[in-house]
């Protein structure tokens, strides 16, 4: 019988346990969220006449944590709050019998070996044979936890270390036990990757595994060097953020996010489990850190840590007094020079060649990072690829500790490190001596990493289930290409149209190439997938192309450009061969309209989609208003509802530039259909979209027939206008926003057509273009477009 995970028991309902439950719900999987039984009543419970035997009291901890960490979490850990019903709360006294229903039990109790051992002994009688049991420990030995358990139990035991917040952090470290069955390791790796959408890194059972072994030491390094070079908290954050390929939070703002206590605990686990006195020093902190811990200055969860908000102002801690003071600007020549550089290698060179306090701080920190990471291979991992992935996926670094040296003269900097007394790992010196001067290389479209065991480059392995477009180029699978997009043969008669315009924007060149792709599809292929190539699918129209039309008052030319876009999207919608759009990240404005006109959608779970054109003073004119009108009217069929019941929500979404916070919300907002698919793994998105194309072909796909429909009329949209007018009166929208909203109302009403008059989609498209051009003639719209191009932010004038 095929092994599946249909129900999971989670032992421990804190932020991590609740986060795992929420993400399982995102994948449609039921879970039991269990915690300990309280030993005393709250005053509120006493007032209700409850006792310690009352179920509401006995389940209180799990129930409260579900509320706090699942339903009220910010950022949201659950994609659709309705899915919280998949999480059933209980306790670890009354509800252990539930474990017999579960395919997987995951332990997420406090990081103490004795507690974890007690919990496993307690649950063992209740689990059915062959149940997978795992620990989410961040660093305790996986084998030590089960040393007292029976051999049969150990066969199905392993570590599954998620990172918080579980929904957003890609890393899942898998740590097999000494006796774990290989097929269980393989099953959990596949489940984590393909069902939960995680990036899997296989780890050895060493203290803190990989990500936290390296990552936990970085904070201590930054703190020590900050003190040594007399920097402030805000300066150190500026120097350890995007300037060196890490998240913009830097070091201390990240501590505030995760909690200083968690950071100290993670370092302490390593400190207590390694034997080398020198390595222990990497996981110790100066006294002021422990003073902050004692004073509960832990970060966001205690309303103050390294930073604290006072009103609208943000203050940083003075490490000498533990008082909050204004942040200090980072004013160093090396930092300014690094900011001018476009590449990470250029930024690092600017620091490494500098001589001010910031430059010396960055060099010493990066030198420590390199020396420590290289010294831990092969102890914590047999290859550098796992280490880089763990740091990227678990800490959101742009590159890992080995990748970060790409584009730099590694020979020169290793020599500098050694000259300054650092001990560089022997395997690195062997690599350099053999003529290999970087940890990675690309050749012939294939990416390679350095294998220290073989002292040569090996191809970076790719799961055969993934479709990697870059690899297809190396295999001569490009059908057509232009500066705006590339058309690939992804097999089985299916094309893939990949957008790669600047900032993933819609340009004239992109629209022209999409028409060429459509012609190629109709002549020679069975179906097509449309996707992007950058961080976002498509962020909308290229405003740098729109502004010249406005400045030259070339209104007819602007109208023709819009019409071309509308018509190529309509061709996709009514294509005889299925066109599946695979959006991810941001799909805004024209990008959203591209999605709306696909034959079907296979979206990434993390999808931020909406019609946001109001922010630049125009209305959606790529068929967005038209499509939302048609979808509203389609929903009326077979009901006794009035058109207004369905038009108002869509109208308000456009008028308020409502953006989905997930693909599931995109369905609720009407940007996707219930029949559309969602993929949690970004790596599988194109493959899943291709499968959808093939499924449609096998079901003899036939597009919908264009048809006329009755104009809703102004009466059906006037109520929505009244609602927005209330928002205007409350100061939530401007007078000009209201003016734009009136154009949307006009189009969705059917223009000047009286209610019931038969109209079609092309009629609404004409209205879209007319409204768009008229708004472009107005100064306030022009000001909004210029402001967006200058600042990257919308102007509400």
């Amino acid at each position: 019988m095929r092994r599946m995970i249909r129900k999971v028991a989670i032992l421990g309902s804190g932020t991590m346990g609740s986060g795992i439950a929420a993400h399982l719900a995102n994948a449609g999987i039921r879970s039991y969220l269990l915690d300990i039984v309280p030993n005393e009543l709250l005053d509120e419970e006493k007032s209700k006449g409850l006792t310690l035997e009352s179920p509401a009291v006995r389940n209180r901890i799990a129930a409260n944590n579900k509320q706090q960490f699942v339903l009220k979490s910010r950022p949201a850990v659950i994609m659709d709050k309705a899915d919280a019903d998949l999480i059933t709360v209980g306790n670890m006294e009354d509800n252990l019998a539930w474990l017999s229903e579960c395919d997987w039990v995951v332990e997420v109790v406090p990081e103490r070996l004795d507690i974890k051992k007690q919990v496993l002994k307690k649950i063992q009688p209740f689990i059915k044979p062959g149940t997978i049991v795992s620990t989410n420990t961040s660093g305790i030995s996986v084998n030590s936890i089960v040393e007292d358990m029976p051999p049969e139990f150990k066969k199905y035991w392993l570590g599954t270390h998620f990172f918080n917040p579980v929904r957003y952090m890609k890393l899942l470290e898998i740590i097999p036990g000494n006796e774990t069955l290989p097929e269980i390791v393989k099953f959990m790796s596949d489940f984590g990757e393909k069902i939960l959408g995680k990036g899997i890194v296989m780890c050895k059972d060493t203290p803190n595994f990989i990500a936290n072994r390296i990552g936990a030491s970085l904070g201590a390094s930054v703190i020590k060097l900050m003190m040594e070079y007399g920097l402030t908290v805000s300066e150190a954050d500026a120097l350890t953020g995007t300037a060196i390929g890490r998240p913009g939070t830097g070091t201390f703002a990240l501590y505030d996010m995760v909690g200083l206590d968690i950071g100290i605990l993670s370092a302490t686990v390593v400190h207590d489990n390694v034997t080398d006195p020198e390595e222990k020093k990497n996981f110790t902190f100066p006294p002021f850190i422990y003073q902050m811990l004692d004073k509960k200055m832990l970060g966001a969860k205690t309303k103050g840590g390294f930073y604290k908000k006072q009103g609208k102002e943000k203050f940083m801690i003075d490490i000498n007094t533990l008082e909050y003071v204004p942040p200090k600007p980072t004013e160093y020549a090396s930092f300014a020079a690094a900011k001018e550089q476009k590449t990470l290698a250029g930024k690092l060179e600017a620091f490494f060649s500098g001589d001010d306090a910031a430059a010396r701080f960055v060099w010493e920190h990066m030198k420590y990072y390199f020396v420590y990471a290289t010294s831990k291979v092969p102890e914590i991992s047999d290859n550098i690829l796992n280490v880089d992935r763990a740091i990227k996926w678990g800490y959101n670094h742009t590159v890992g500790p080995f990748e970060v040296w790409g584009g730099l003269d590694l020979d020169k900097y290793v020599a500098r490190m050694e000259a300054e007394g650092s001990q560089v790992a022997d395997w690195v010196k062997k690599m350099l001596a053999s003529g290999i001067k970087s940890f990675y290389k690309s050749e012939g479209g294939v990416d390679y990493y350095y294998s220290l065991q073989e002292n040569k480059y090996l191809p970076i392995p790719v799961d055969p289930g993934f479709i990697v477009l870059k690899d297809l180029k190396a295999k001569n699978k490009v059908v057509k290409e232009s500066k705006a997009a590339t058309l690939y043969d992804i097999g089985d008669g299916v094309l893939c149209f990949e957008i790669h315009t600047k900032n993933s924007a819609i340009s004239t060149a992109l629209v022209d190439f999409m028409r060429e792709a459509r012609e190629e599809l109709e002549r020679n292929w069975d179906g097509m997938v449309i996707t992007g190539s950058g961080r976002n699918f498509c962020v909308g129209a290229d405003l740098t192309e729109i502004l010249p039309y406005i400045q030259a008052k070339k209104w007819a030319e602007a109208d023709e450009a819009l019409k071309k876009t509308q018509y190529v999207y309509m061709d996709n919608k009514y294509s005889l061969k299925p066109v599946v759009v695979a959006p991810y990240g941001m799909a805004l404005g024209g990008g959203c309209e591209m999605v709306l006109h696909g034959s079907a959608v296979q979206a990434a779970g993390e999808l931020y989609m909406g019609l946001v054109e109001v922010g630049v003073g125009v209305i959606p004119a790529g068929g967005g208003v038209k499509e939302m009108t048609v979808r509203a009217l389609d929903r009326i069929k077979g009901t006794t509802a009035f058109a207004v019941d369905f038009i108002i929500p869509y109208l308000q979404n456009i008028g308020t530039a409502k953006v989905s916070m997930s693909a599931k919300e995109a369905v609720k907002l009407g940007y996707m259909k219930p029949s559309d698919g969602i993929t949690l793994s970004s790596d599988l998105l194109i493959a899943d979209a291709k499968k959808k194309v093939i499924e449609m072909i096998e079901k003899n796909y036939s597009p919908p027939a264009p048809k006329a429909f009755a104009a809703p009329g102004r009466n059906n949209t006037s109520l929505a206008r009244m609602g927005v007018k209330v928002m205007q009166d409350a100061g939530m929208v401007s007078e000009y926003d209201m003016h734009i909203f009136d154009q949307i109302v006009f189009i969705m009403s059917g223009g000047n057509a009286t209610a019931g008059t038969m109209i079609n989609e092309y009629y609404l498209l004409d209205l879209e273009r007319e409204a768009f051009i008229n708004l472009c003639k107005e100064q306030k719209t022009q000001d909004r477009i210029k402001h967006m191009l200058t600042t990257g932010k919308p102007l509400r004038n």
Side-chain angles (χ1 to χ4, degrees), residues 581 583 587-589 591-598 600-603 607-613 620 624-625 627-628 631 635 649-676:
V581 189
L588 304 176
C592 176
E593 291 171 307
M594 193 185 299
V595 178
L596 291 173
H597 288 84
V601 178
Q602 185 70 36
L607 181 64
Y608 307 95
M609 183 157 73
L611 298 166
V612 298
E613 286 87 346
V625 180
E627 192 61 24
M628 300 317 292
R631 292 189 181 196
R635 290 182 63 192
Y650 292 159
L651 187 52
Q652 290 178 335
N653 288 345
I654 302 171
T656 58
K658 178 72 173 177
V659 175
S660 71
M661 290 294 104
S662 68
K664 287 191 174 184
E665 189 179 13
V667 175
K668 287 195 162 188
L669 295 174
Y671 301 142
M672 288 172 57
K673 298 174 182 175
S675 58
D676 289 330

Side-chain angles (χ1 to χ4, degrees), residues 120-131:
L120 295 190
K121 286 186 176 180
K122 188 173 185 176
I123 68 168
Q124 185 194 352
F126 297 94
I127 61 173
K128 63 178 183 271
T131 299

